[in-house]
Amino acid sequence: MKPVNSIFKLSIISGLIAGGGLLLTSAQAATPLTTIAEQSGFKKTGRYEEVEKLCQAFQKNYPKEVRCLEFGRTPENRPMLALLVTRSGAFTPAQVAKQALPVTLIQGGIHAGEIDGKDAGFLALREILDNKVAPHVLDKQVLLFVPVFNIDGHERFGVWNRPNQRGPEEMGWRTTAQNFNLNRDYVKADAPEMQAMLKLINTWDPLAVIDLHVTDGAKFEHDISIQVEPINSGDAALRVAGKILRDNVMADLTKQGSLPQPFYMSFMREDDPMSGFMDSVPTPRFSSGYPVLRNRFGMLVETHSWKDYPTRVRITHNTVISVLEQVAANGGQWLSITKAADKRAAQLAGQSLPVTYKTTEKTRDIDFRGYAYTRTMSDISGALMTRYDESKPQVWKVKLRDEIVPDAQISLPKGGYIVPVAYSKAVAEKLQQHGIEFRILNTDLNAVSAEQFATSKASMQVQSFEGRQTLKLQGTWQNQAQSLRKGALFIPVAQAKARLIAGLFEPQAPDALVNWGWFNGAFERKEYMEAYVAEDVAREQLAADPQLKAAFEKRIAEDAEFAKSASARLEFFAQRHSSWDKRYQVYPVLRLDFVPQ
């Protein structure tokens, strides 16, 4: 055997630590199952063409264990590929369900410049199938490995696409060809790639979704963070299991020489190490926040960007192995817990449910392994600039805020939500993408008791975000008699995805469709009263109603902004005229406390 270079020596040592799997020497590297990353000593990563070849090669070399699946097409017409891997013989959803097998979905490259997961995943998969590490983890488990989620972004290949990251020499881009950040798209699902991913999730119902990233941030010794939900949110029994999953993976990584943390390692104040850290609950737009609303596990894995590429691939490889080992050991029990959580979720109608969480001001002191640093004024930016000396490790004594409690809470309707026929087609498509049960009403509903959201304030953001003009509503649900034409959608709360339904339709939920701008037209004023007409209307109303006159004068006396605004003063009367648009700023979705027949 020819001598191996230092990077490969590091990788061989890492493989031994992980359980005996070895990387190939450069003389042996050019086989159908080795990556360009391995062949280059982890200086490079391959283009997507390599993923296409490897997907087929793994299926050919391991015909009893691997299937190469295409689950969608990108906007630039590239195939979206997943490797379905198991030793159980279950290669269809029906077979998986019959054997009650847990499915683990591991994805790389949702941000295609953060590509450790692709190369680490292929390496771990080959070692498992060759019985060099964790030889029995797939006996009673199904792995869905998506090497690259953001494929078009992956092919926007270049040097310095990740300026805050060491290696590989070239990498892909953070966003898709349509400039979507897929890790903000899980609920609104605007991107074709996300719609394909949700279809994959609906088809295989993974117990856990493991999302492999590389973090940005400061320079320090810690090399990875592992964040799991449910731990601080979601079903109570799932929180216990989620903590076990997180803690066991962190323990495995610690044994292998890593320094994992259970929180995202970003300072409270940018570029200020002494500001400390804060843990939080991800909203469902994120990969680690979305599965919680489906009563499943989400794990965010973030290797540290300033570790070199061989190191990051090694640590990600170890994480993949650990996750699969944890699911192999506990997956049967966790699957039972999730099914029980589904049943509990289907009983949530009429109950209180948190839709947001907050981190309290409570802190605790932690030792954090950083480096010596200086902070001096910059003559370029005019701000304080931090410089780290990586030759001088240093323990920082910093504060961590990690007490998380429910924030906004809603009471779910006893029946469900109803969407008027005018909006039914678009909303039905979204519900289908999320695998949510609904039905179309085939008769009119006349003067039924319903709840309508009374908007007290609607604020549209000036700058678009992820291709949408977001909206923030304030107000309360109020009972009103409502009539709806047949063709309206009824979404019952009594189903396993009750939390996701609330996340889609409750205005207080951070990623509700209304907050993503789905119903912005309802909050745009379309009809107006000319000022000279409003002047006459105002005088008629004042003459006819002394109480209105008193209310108008009181408003002028107490509200300086109102008093100096001619348009606001005239609108005070226009709103009380029969011509006022009663649908203006009315959220179209209603709540019912009964199930319509």
Side-chain angles (χ1 to χ4, degrees):
M1 182 178 291
K2 293 184 178 180
V4 296
N5 61 33
S6 60
I7 292 177
F8 276 79
K9 288 178 182 176
L10 170 64
S11 300
I12 290 173
I13 293 170
S14 306
L16 288 168
I17 292 174
L22 302 181
L23 301 186
L24 301 180
T25 67
S26 55
Q28 296 173 304
T31 73
L33 301 181
T34 54
T35 63
I36 289 171
E38 292 175 78
Q39 297 169 36
S40 68
F42 293 94
K43 295 178 182 177
K44 303 176 184 293
T45 191
R47 302 295 292 266
Y48 193 67
E49 179 184 15
E50 178 189 39
V51 173
E52 297 181 64
K53 291 179 179 177
L54 285 171
C55 193
Q56 294 296 335
F58 269 83
Q59 178 174 282
K60 181 179 179 180
N61 280 267
Y62 307 101
K64 294 182 179 180
E65 295 97 351
V66 180
R67 299 290 184 272
C68 179
L69 308 178
E70 179 177 335
F71 65 94
R73 285 267 161 175
T74 72
E76 293 185 339
N77 201 34
R78 294 186 175 92
M80 300 183 71
L81 300 178
L83 285 81
L84 178 66
V85 191
T86 185
R87 286 185 162 127
S88 67
F91 290 103
T92 68
Q95 291 170 340
V96 170
K98 184 177 181 180
Q99 295 188 40
L101 298 173
V103 177
T104 305
L105 171 57
I106 298 180
Q107 66 186 30
I110 191 173
H111 295 152
E114 307 167 24
I115 204 58
D116 308 11
K118 175 189 68 174
D119 293 320
F122 276 123
L123 172 59
L125 185 55
R126 191 183 72 232
E127 291 179 336
I128 291 169
L129 292 171
D130 286 342
N131 297 315
K132 293 180 178 179
V133 300
H136 299 293
V137 293
L138 296 176
D139 290 357
K140 295 183 179 181
Q141 175 179 192
V142 176
L143 167 63
L144 272 174
F145 174 47
V146 178
V148 182
F149 186 2
N150 174 17
I151 296 157
D152 291 343
H154 185 279
E155 291 307 280
R156 190 177 167 182
F157 220 61
V159 179
W160 290 110
N161 278 352
R162 290 272 296 162
N164 311 309
Q165 178 177 300
R166 287 181 175 140
E169 292 176 356
E170 295 179 280
M171 71 285 287
W173 193 255
R174 182 178 183 84
T175 56
T176 70
Q178 296 175 330
N179 209 33
F180 284 118
N181 182 342
L182 291 176
N183 205 27
R184 305 294 183 273
D185 202 42
Y186 273 85
V187 175
K188 65 184 180 68
D190 284 332
E193 295 96 330
M194 184 57 71
Q195 293 170 14
M197 177 59 75
L198 291 178
K199 186 175 181 180
L200 187 72
I201 290 172
N202 289 333
T203 300
W204 293 96
D205 189 19
L207 171 72
V209 176
I210 315 300
D211 195 14
L212 306 175
H213 285 251
V214 182
T215 188
D216 289 317
K219 294 181 180 180
F220 39 72
E221 289 194 291
H222 294 278
D223 49 15
I224 190 169
S225 64
I226 303 292
Q227 292 175 271
V228 173
E229 288 295 338
I231 287 181
N232 298 297
S233 64
D235 182 87
L238 285 180
R239 294 186 189 198
V240 176
K243 188 174 186 301
I244 292 171
L245 171 60
R246 182 198 68 187
D247 292 351
N248 286 357
V249 171
M250 288 181 61
D252 286 345
L253 293 172
T254 300
K255 291 175 186 176
Q256 293 163 332
S258 282
L259 297 170
Q261 289 286 5
F263 55 87
Y264 191 83
M265 292 178 282
S266 181
F267 299 138
M268 288 280 294
R269 290 190 301 273
E270 186 177 357
D271 204 32
D272 182 0
M274 288 300 102
S275 64
F277 302 96
M278 181 179 74
D279 200 4
S280 62
V281 168
T283 62
R285 71 186 62 175
F286 295 101
S287 64
S288 52
Y290 177 74
V292 182
L293 302 191
R294 300 175 68 115
N295 309 311
R296 303 296 184 265
F297 301 104
M299 176 186 286
L300 175 66
V301 177
E302 294 270 3
T303 56
H304 187 221
S305 61
W306 291 111
K307 302 299 181 285
D308 61 25
Y309 196 53
T311 300
R312 297 203 317 272
V313 171
R314 169 176 58 83
I315 297 166
T316 305
H317 160 278
N318 293 344
T319 304
V320 169
I321 297 296
S322 175
V323 166
L324 294 175
E325 288 178 331
Q326 293 305 319
V327 175
N330 303 289
Q333 179 187 3
W334 291 345
L335 197 59
S336 297
I337 293 173
T338 62
K339 298 304 181 184
D342 286 346
K343 293 180 180 179
R344 286 190 291 272
Q347 302 298 318
L348 286 173
Q351 297 185 35
S352 178
L353 182 73
V355 290
T356 62
Y357 293 81
K358 64 181 179 181
T359 308
T360 71
E361 297 296 323
K362 183 179 178 180
T363 64
R364 61 186 178 95
D365 296 324
I366 63 169
D367 291 338
F368 191 85
R369 289 176 57 169
Y371 298 110
Y373 66 92
T374 60
R375 300 194 79 209
T376 57
M377 290 299 297
S378 167
D379 57 350
I380 302 297
S381 66
L384 280 172
M385 173 183 63
T386 305
R387 290 189 181 277
Y388 299 92
D389 185 347
E390 293 176 85
S391 69
K392 298 179 180 178
Q394 185 180 82
V395 175
W396 299 340
K397 304 287 187 179
V398 296
K399 301 289 186 183
L400 172 64
R401 290 170 54 194
D402 62 352
E403 182 183 64
I404 297 171
V405 298
D407 189 11
Q409 300 206 43
I410 57 98
S411 293
L412 285 166
K414 295 177 181 177
Y417 297 85
I418 196 158
V419 178
V421 64
Y423 298 93
S424 63
K425 182 179 179 181
V427 174
E429 290 176 356
K430 197 57 53 185
L431 294 171
Q432 289 168 342
Q433 289 165 7
H434 288 288
I436 291 173
E437 300 169 16
F438 66 93
R439 61 186 176 88
I440 300 172
L441 301 185
N442 56 17
T443 58
D444 293 347
L445 292 181
N446 297 310
V448 297
S449 176
E451 285 184 298
Q452 185 176 75
F453 193 79
T455 303
S456 58
K457 185 177 181 181
S459 305
M460 288 188 187
Q461 297 299 308
V462 176
Q463 178 66 44
S464 68
F465 175 63
E466 289 300 312
R468 289 189 171 271
Q469 186 181 22
T470 57
L471 176 68
K472 182 64 177 176
L473 295 186
Q474 297 177 24
T476 57
W477 292 100
Q478 295 181 358
N479 285 310
Q480 285 189 2
Q482 298 283 341
S483 297
L484 296 110
R485 289 177 56 82
K486 68 179 181 179
L489 303 181
F490 175 70
I491 305 98
V493 171
Q495 55 181 298
K497 297 186 179 74
R499 287 183 173 85
L500 181 54
I501 293 168
L504 287 169
F505 294 116
E506 286 291 338
Q508 286 183 282
D511 289 313
L513 296 180
V514 66
N515 294 332
W516 276 112
W518 267 67
F519 304 101
N520 277 5
F523 298 87
E524 299 171 359
R525 190 172 171 188
K526 305 293 186 178
E527 187 59 86
Y528 298 87
M529 180 181 288
E530 296 287 356
Y532 68 88
V533 175
E535 291 279 0
D536 291 340
V537 166
R539 285 169 174 76
E540 291 172 3
Q541 291 180 0
L542 289 171
D545 189 344
Q547 290 184 337
L548 179 65
K549 183 174 185 296
F552 178 61
E553 291 172 348
K554 184 174 185 290
R555 181 82 180 271
I556 290 175
E558 295 179 352
D559 189 338
E561 291 296 319
F562 175 80
K564 67 182 182 182
S565 171
S567 60
R569 290 168 66 150
L570 291 176
E571 189 171 295
F572 178 89
F573 299 99
Q575 289 178 359
R576 290 159 173 80
H577 192 264
S578 60
S579 65
W580 183 256
D581 182 4
K582 299 297 189 296
R583 295 185 182 181
Y584 175 52
Q585 292 199 335
V586 172
Y587 176 37
V589 177
L590 304 173
R591 299 179 7 146
L592 296 180
D593 275 338
F594 65 94
V595 176
Q597 300 302 314

